Amino acid sequence: MIKIENLHKSFGELEVLCGIDLEIAEREVVVIIGPSGSGKSTLLRCINFLEEPSSGSITVDGIALSGEANINAVRREVGMVFQRFNLFPHMTVMENLLLAPMKVRKLSREDAEKIALSLLVKVGMESKANAYPEQLSGGQQQRVAIARALAMKPKALLFDEPTSALDPEMIKEVLDVMKALAEEGMTMVVVTHEMGFAREVGDRVIFIDGGKIVEQGSPEMIFNNAREERTKSFLSKIL
Amino acid sequence: MDLNFALIKNAIPLLLQGAGITIQITALSVGLGLLIGMLVGVARLSTVKPVKYLSNVYVDFIRGTPLLVQIFLVYFALPILTGSRIDPFVAAIAACSINSGAYIAEIFRGGIQSIDKGQTEAGRSLGLSWFQTMRHIIMPQAFKRIIPPLGNEFIAMLKDSSLVSVIGFEELTRRGQLIIARTYASFEIWLAVAFIYLIMTFTISRFVAYLERRYQVK
C-alpha cells in the first residue's frame, strides 16, 4: 500500500531522516514511536509530501510520488490528521466536511452531505454539525478532523500525534474513534506517545531514533522483548 | 473675523458635485487597487523568483515615490511614450489605483501570512489545489483580518485623491480652487472643503467599524 525506499530528508545542514525503508500493507496499523526530534513526524509528513524528501522514493497505492501533478492524486487517497486539528475556523463542522469532497471529488452537495452526516454519526459529532470549531472542545475538534479526513474516502490515514494537544480527559474519546477505524480495516500510520494505544491497536510498532528505524516488530515484541538498548532505554523512560 | 456664510451657501452645491466625483475616483481606485493588491500580495509570497521580484519592484517603486509624481508621470509622460493624449479621468484613476494597489498588496501579504500554516497543510492534505486552498480557506480568513487596514487605505485614498486636481480634474479640491479664483473667499471655501472631506472620512470610518463588528475575527 505504502512503500518507502531509502528516504532521506535534510533541513539545511541537519539530516532528519537518514535512509528509511518501510513497507505498509493494506489494513495494517503501524504505530511509530520515538523521542522528540527523532524524525517520526517528518517521516509522516513526507508520505503525503507536506515535506519534500531530499532523496529516496515513496510509492503510495502504486503511484510514485514525484511532481506536483501526482502529489494531489496521492493526497486525495491519503488522509492526514494533525496534532493541532487544523479545522477551518470560518466554516461550520458540516462545511469543513463538505469542502474537499465537493471541490476535489466533485460530489454534489446532496451526496457529500449524506457521507458527511454518516461520518459525523460515526465519530459521535452529528449534533454539532452546525457548530463552528471554536465552540467545540479539543477532543471534539479532533474527532471532526478525523471525520473530515474520512470524507475523502482515503485508502490510508496518517495521524501526527493526534492526542498530544488534548487535555487528558479528552484523549480517550479520540483514541476510541481511532480504534474503531482500525477494527474496520483502515490502513493507518500513527505517530503517538500513547503506548496503551500502540500496544492494544497496533499491528506493528516502529521505534525511530536519530532519523533511522532502530527496531520494529509486534507490540508484544517491542514492549516486552526489545533487543536494542536504545529501544529499552526509551521505553523505560516513558512506561 | 467675518465669515461670509451666504458665499459658502452658494458654493455648497458645486462643492458637493465635486465631492461626488471624489467619491467616484476613490471607489474606482480602491476597487481596482483591491484587485491589483490581491494579485500582487499573493505574488510577493510566490516561490517563483521572477514573479516575486517583479512584484517587489512594483511595491518598492510605488511606495518610494510621491503620488503627486506618479500622477504627473501617468498624465504627462505616458502620452509621450504612447503618442496619444490621455483623458484626465483615466489618468487619475490609473495613477490612484496603481498607487493604492501597492499599499493594498502589503496589506494582503500581511493578512495571508498571519493565517496559520496548518490551514494550508490541512487544505493541501485533503487534495485541494494551491488555488482552491487560497480561494476557500486562506483568503476568507485573511480578508476578515485586513478589514481595518483596508478601511485606513480607503480613507487615505479619499484624501490623497485631492492631488489629481493638479491635472485639472474637477474633484472636490479643484472645485474649491475654481470657486476661490472667482470669489477670492479662500478662508470660507477651504473651510467648507475641509468639512466635506471630514464628513466623508468620518462616514467611512464608522462603516469600517461596523464591518469589523459584524465580521469579528473568531
Side-chain angles (χ1 to χ4, degrees), chain B residues 58-80:
Chain B
Y58 163 67
V59 171
D60 287 343
F61 178 80
I62 297 300
R63 294 203 307 170
T65 54
L67 175 58
L68 185 59
V69 175
Q70 290 162 16
I71 293 167
F72 283 139
L73 272 177
V74 171
Y75 190 57
F76 293 114
L78 216 57
I80 296 172

Side-chain angles (χ1 to χ4, degrees), chain A residues 214-230:
Chain A
V214 176
E215 190 168 1
Q216 56 178 309
S218 66
E220 151 72 17
M221 187 197 122
I222 296 289
F223 288 115
N224 300 335
N225 300 302
R227 277 176 312 229
E228 300 287 331
E229 267 318 306
R230 269 195 288 173

Side-chain angles (χ1 to χ4, degrees), chain A residues 98-112:
Chain A
L98 294 180
L99 181 64
M102 286 176 63
K103 297 296 169 190
V104 180
R105 295 259 191 244
K106 309 285 179 204
L107 293 185
S108 69
R109 173 171 286 272
E110 212 185 0
D111 291 344

Side-chain angles (χ1 to χ4, degrees), chain B residues 3-218:
Chain B
L3 279 182
N4 188 341
F5 282 105
L7 223 156
I8 295 180
K9 209 179 142 212
N10 287 337
I12 287 290
L14 278 173
L15 289 178
L16 284 183
Q17 266 177 18
I21 294 170
T22 288
I23 290 171
Q24 248 180 51
I25 306 177
T26 309
L28 274 171
S29 301
V30 175
L32 288 171
L34 268 174
L35 275 178
I36 299 174
M38 198 187 299
L39 291 174
V40 175
V42 172
R44 290 201 83 181
L45 296 169
S46 172
T47 47
V48 185
K49 289 266 162 66
V51 172
K52 185 180 176 136
Y53 289 145
L54 271 178
S55 54
N56 283 351
V57 167
Y58 163 67
V59 171
D60 287 343
F61 178 80
I62 297 300
R63 294 203 307 170
T65 54
L67 175 58
L68 185 59
V69 175
Q70 290 162 16
I71 293 167
F72 283 139
L73 272 177
V74 171
Y75 190 57
F76 293 114
L78 216 57
I80 296 172
L81 293 174
T82 60
S84 59
R85 265 185 62 88
I86 183 166
D87 180 69
F89 183 74
V90 176
I93 298 291
C96 289
S97 48
I98 290 171
N99 180 275
S100 197
Y103 288 95
I104 293 176
E106 282 301 88
I107 295 173
F108 264 102
R109 183 176 64 94
I112 293 168
Q113 280 179 318
S114 77
I115 304 299
D116 185 62
K117 219 174 130 241
Q119 292 290 306
T120 307
E121 292 185 345
R124 299 308 302 274
S125 77
L126 286 166
L128 295 167
S129 67
W130 175 88
F131 182 80
Q132 288 173 321
T133 306
M134 264 297 168
R135 156 99 179 67
H136 298 290
I137 299 169
I138 307 301
M139 280 300 182
Q141 295 183 59
F143 206 79
K144 276 186 200 168
R145 290 193 191 175
I146 65 178
I147 288 174
L150 280 182
N152 286 342
E153 174 56 27
F154 204 102
I155 290 171
M157 194 69 250
L158 187 115
K159 293 184 292 175
D160 289 349
S161 70
S162 61
L163 289 169
V164 302
S165 59
V166 294
I167 54 175
F169 190 66
E170 285 192 39
E171 39 65 76
L172 177 54
T173 300
R174 181 74 184 153
R175 278 286 162 87
Q177 284 174 335
L178 292 175
I179 296 170
I180 292 165
R182 220 172 25 175
T183 61
Y184 300 104
S186 14
F187 186 45
E188 285 89 343
I189 299 300
W190 284 133
L191 202 62
V193 166
F195 196 67
I196 295 175
Y197 273 114
L198 185 64
I199 291 171
M200 291 194 287
T201 52
F202 187 74
T203 309
I204 296 172
S205 73
R206 295 325 302 156
F207 180 65
V208 171
Y210 159 77
L211 283 184
E212 247 181 274
R213 272 199 312 279
R214 203 179 140 190
Y215 295 105
Q216 210 157 41
V217 180
K218 285 177 180 160

Side-chain angles (χ1 to χ4, degrees), chain A residues 123-188:
Chain A
V123 300
M125 289 296 296
E126 70 275 18
S127 62
K128 300 284 187 183
N130 294 317
Y132 282 89
E134 61 159 10
Q135 298 166 317
L136 306 179
S137 72
Q140 292 175 323
Q141 288 192 46
Q142 192 62 298
R143 284 188 280 151
V144 171
I146 293 172
R148 181 178 67 178
L150 289 172
M152 285 296 284
K153 301 237 175 270
K155 299 198 168 102
L157 264 188
L158 311 175
F159 293 84
D160 188 4
E161 302 200 24
T163 57
S164 297
L166 295 178
D167 292 336
E169 74 268 24
M170 292 169 186
I171 291 176
K172 188 173 176 293
E173 63 186 61
V174 171
L175 291 182
D176 284 347
V177 168
M178 291 168 64
K179 198 172 142 191
L181 281 177
E183 278 160 7
E184 282 172 25
M186 173 62 78
T187 308
M188 291 162 65

